[in-house]
Amino acid sequence: MSNQHNQEKLSSARFSESTDAFVEAFTASIMFDKRMYKQDIQGSMAHARMLNKVGILNDKELQDIIDGLGQVQQEIEAGDFNWSIKQEDIHMNIEARLTDIIGITGKKLHTGRSRNDQVATDIRLYLRDEIDQILPELKRLQQGLITLAEREAQTIMPGFTHLQTAQPVTFGHHMLAWFEMIKRDIERLQDCRKRVNTMPLGSAALAGTTYPIDRHYTAELLGFERISENSLDGVSDRDFAIEFTHFAATLLMHMSRFSEELVLWSSAQFQFIDLPDRFCTGSSIMPQKKNPDVPELVRGKTGRVYGHLISLLTLMKSQPLAYNKDNQEDKEPLFDTVDTVKGSLRAFADMVPAMIVKKEMTYEAAKRGFSTATDLADYLVGKGLAFRDSHEVVGLAVAHGIKTGQDLSEMSLETLQGFCEKIGEDVYDVLTLEGSVAARDHFGGTAPKQVLEAVGRAKAYLETI
Ligand code: ARG
């Protein structure tokens, strides 16, 4: 053990031998927590200003720290910073470099705080910044869905249950179902942000500090809405990260459902849509292939986000108060969740409004599969039959259609009257696809008129977020 080695070690005075080289690398987090350099510097600057305000740092010391940290940030951003595993994490790397630059004053920065409250603060600042980038992307996806819903408000397609043709719906209505899911995701994220935006700084290692700190002032400088009420909870709480990952898991679950539909719809069997070429790839062996890679990949990425949620829940399970080194494991799942959400949203927000809907194909598909059978049953109820009886009559008509290869709307009046003499000429109004969708004309229904009204409400909602 060289002397120099010993001096490099954190809290070296306590130790009689230096850390094993493997253990040093094993316990370090600098490889991944350097991502939070900006927030670490931002937090340190605010902490230093607070220390100056309460008389712990004089004006010259504060100025040196602010200038020094500014230089550190420049070095990092210019790619000139020498990251060191010996300095373990982002907090120690920055503090060590600051002390190199400004000398002994650099060592005063850590007065009245600990890495425990520092890291908890950094993650919250980082996540708040990311949430503020994710929200506009969610909004952009919403805008794409609205554009498509408005454009395709009259477009008829089959609606499915059990993936079997059920009743005709409008394409716009289907897009607005996706819109509603994302809207709830936005609400979840906005709600999560409130709890992220709480400042733990001042909790110090676990019990608070003996210095006369002014936490409210630091919080104000950092734009935190509130400060944590309990120092033990402040340093150890990670449920805000779990909440964010839960938001992400639910969002990706929704996006995997869209993805599945886009993959099906763009297949040769459905042919409902064309995805623009720039979102697809070819096959290296089959020249005819155009693969919907983007939705497939997003569907696949859902798995890793679910994994991260389980990782974080398990990480926190049974941890005694307060900080434990286990918590260092919170970052990689959280960072990867952020990256996955941002990438998936960006791809979808670009792709969705560029989708081409093949109206003739969706119309033809809706005509197959007796999608207006329920309309005929409702029609017969209007003529005085009990619903169960009309259900029976329509079942016979459908069986006839299957045998003869005819849709209900293609059968002659005589044929239809063979199943029930109450059927009149007006039956064709309800048997057409247009009649069927137009009849579902109530709040939340699929009628084109209702879709356009829902588009109006959706646009108004977007103005509020
Ligand atoms: N790198 C650590 C983490 O991410 C910082 C806090 C370390 N605190 C400690 N007492 N070892 O959690």
Side-chain angles (χ1 to χ4, degrees):
M1 261 125 306
S2 75
N3 218 0
Q4 197 213 353
H5 213 110
N6 250 337
Q7 270 160 17
E8 278 167 354
K9 182 164 179 170
L10 177 60
S11 320
S12 59
R14 163 75 175 74
F15 291 86
S16 55
E17 61 175 3
S18 63
T19 313
D20 177 271
F22 169 74
V23 172
E24 191 171 74
F26 185 69
T27 54
S29 56
I30 188 60
M31 308 73 80
F32 48 84
D33 66 13
K34 61 182 173 193
R35 179 193 281 237
M36 304 190 300
Y37 77 88
K38 223 184 260 168
Q39 291 81 15
D40 193 74
I41 290 172
Q42 185 189 4
S44 286
M45 284 184 173
H47 180 68
R49 289 189 204 283
M50 183 278 291
L51 291 177
N52 171 252
K53 179 170 180 269
V54 302
I56 295 171
L57 291 177
N58 65 35
D59 291 353
K60 163 87 173 74
E61 288 168 333
L62 172 64
Q63 202 49 55
D64 286 352
I65 287 175
I66 299 291
D67 293 346
L69 286 171
Q71 185 179 326
V72 171
Q73 180 155 348
Q74 274 171 15
E75 289 176 5
I76 295 173
E77 286 170 0
D80 292 339
F81 195 90
N82 197 4
W83 300 108
S84 156
I85 262 195
K86 290 201 184 316
Q87 295 300 340
E88 196 178 315
D89 58 25
I90 183 66
H91 325 293
M92 298 304 300
N93 267 267
I94 289 179
E95 193 187 315
R97 179 67 189 130
L98 175 70
T99 304
D100 276 353
I101 301 170
I102 68 170
I104 189 142
T105 306
K107 297 187 180 178
K108 295 191 177 181
L109 172 62
H110 212 50
T111 313
R113 78 173 179 187
S114 150
R115 280 186 299 155
N116 296 353
D117 59 345
Q118 189 179 356
V119 70
T121 304
D122 288 4
I123 307 170
R124 286 169 183 272
L125 286 171
Y126 162 80
L127 193 53
R128 191 182 69 186
D129 288 345
E130 294 294 353
I131 289 173
D132 291 344
Q133 289 182 39
I134 291 167
L135 279 167
E137 280 297 274
L138 285 162
K139 198 171 163 181
R140 205 159 69 81
L141 175 55
Q142 295 276 52
Q143 261 149 357
L145 291 169
I146 294 177
T147 304
L148 210 52
E150 193 165 25
R151 198 197 303 152
E152 309 295 344
Q154 327 282 335
T155 305
I156 290 174
M157 66 179 277
F160 300 94
T161 59
H162 313 266
L163 203 57
Q164 310 287 322
T165 300
Q167 292 173 353
V169 294
T170 47
F171 197 92
H173 195 53
H174 200 112
M175 294 301 104
L176 290 181
W178 292 352
F179 177 92
E180 290 299 318
M181 296 178 220
I182 299 292
K183 185 173 160 194
R184 290 191 296 275
D185 291 326
I186 290 176
E187 288 167 2
R188 264 184 282 276
L189 185 58
Q190 287 170 329
D191 199 53
C192 164
R193 189 188 187 282
K194 291 183 203 154
R195 282 174 291 281
V196 169
N197 205 13
T198 300
M199 187 189 79
L201 202 61
S203 303
L206 76 164
T209 174
T210 54
Y211 296 96
I213 56 172
D214 181 348
R215 298 184 65 205
H216 290 283
Y217 180 65
T218 321
E220 195 187 309
L221 292 176
L222 292 172
F224 280 112
E225 237 166 89
R226 68 186 77 76
I227 62 180
S228 57
E229 302 263 345
N230 179 293
S231 61
L232 295 166
D233 181 49
V235 287
S236 58
D237 167 37
R238 296 291 183 275
D239 59 21
F240 67 92
I242 293 175
E243 263 190 70
F244 173 81
T245 312
H246 167 254
F247 142 80
T250 308
L251 169 71
L252 265 290
M253 176 275 289
H254 285 150
M255 294 181 77
S256 77
R257 298 182 68 192
F258 303 178
S259 297
E260 177 72 5
E261 295 194 324
L262 296 179
V263 170
L264 287 171
W265 291 356
S266 60
S267 70
Q269 287 66 33
F270 274 80
Q271 298 187 59
F272 285 7
I273 56 165
D274 248 341
L275 292 174
D277 288 356
R278 63 185 183 281
F279 297 101
C280 299
T281 62
S283 157
S284 54
I285 173 165
M286 297 166 282
Q288 85 284 11
K289 290 294 288 288
K290 177 173 151 184
N291 297 327
D293 289 53
V294 168
E296 287 176 85
L297 204 52
V298 169
R299 188 177 58 186
K301 281 180 186 293
T302 309
R304 66 202 282 161
V305 175
Y306 287 6
H308 296 326
L309 176 58
I310 293 295
S311 297
L312 290 177
L313 283 167
T314 313
L315 173 67
M316 294 312 292
K317 177 183 177 293
S318 313
Q319 265 200 52
L321 293 175
Y323 177 87
N324 299 286
K325 183 75 168 178
D326 311 41
N327 284 356
Q328 185 164 289
E329 285 286 306
D330 61 358
K331 289 169 203 61
E332 289 161 292
L334 184 64
F335 294 165
D336 189 70
T337 300
V338 164
D339 292 343
T340 307
V341 164
K342 284 166 84 179
S344 305
L345 279 175
R346 180 177 171 170
F348 262 59
D350 289 346
M351 183 179 67
V352 161
M355 230 157 79
I356 293 146
V357 182
K358 298 162 141 177
K359 298 182 212 291
E360 306 75 37
M361 303 302 289
T362 58
Y363 191 88
E364 281 308 311
K367 260 170 96 178
R368 292 191 301 272
F370 305 99
S371 65
T372 56
T374 316
D375 298 84
L376 179 56
D378 290 344
Y379 168 87
L380 291 173
V381 169
K383 298 281 177 189
L385 265 72
F387 185 76
R388 281 292 160 224
D389 293 336
S390 73
H391 190 277
E392 186 66 24
V393 167
V394 179
L396 292 171
V398 168
H400 176 75
I402 293 170
K403 222 184 297 160
T404 59
Q406 278 176 303
D407 181 48
L408 295 173
S409 63
E410 290 162 356
M411 292 179 194
S412 69
L413 189 56
E414 295 69 46
T415 306
L416 288 169
Q417 282 170 339
F419 300 109
C420 176
E421 75 274 9
K422 292 190 171 167
I423 295 178
E425 190 64 51
D426 58 346
V427 74
Y428 294 103
D429 297 341
V430 304
L431 288 183
T432 63
L433 299 175
E434 289 78 2
S436 172
V437 293
R440 282 156 176 84
D441 188 18
H442 54 78
F443 192 98
T446 197
K449 185 170 145 251
Q450 292 297 334
V451 171
L452 291 176
E453 278 177 26
V455 162
R457 291 195 299 275
K459 284 181 179 170
Y461 161 77
L462 278 197
E463 297 289 313
T464 68
I465 60 166

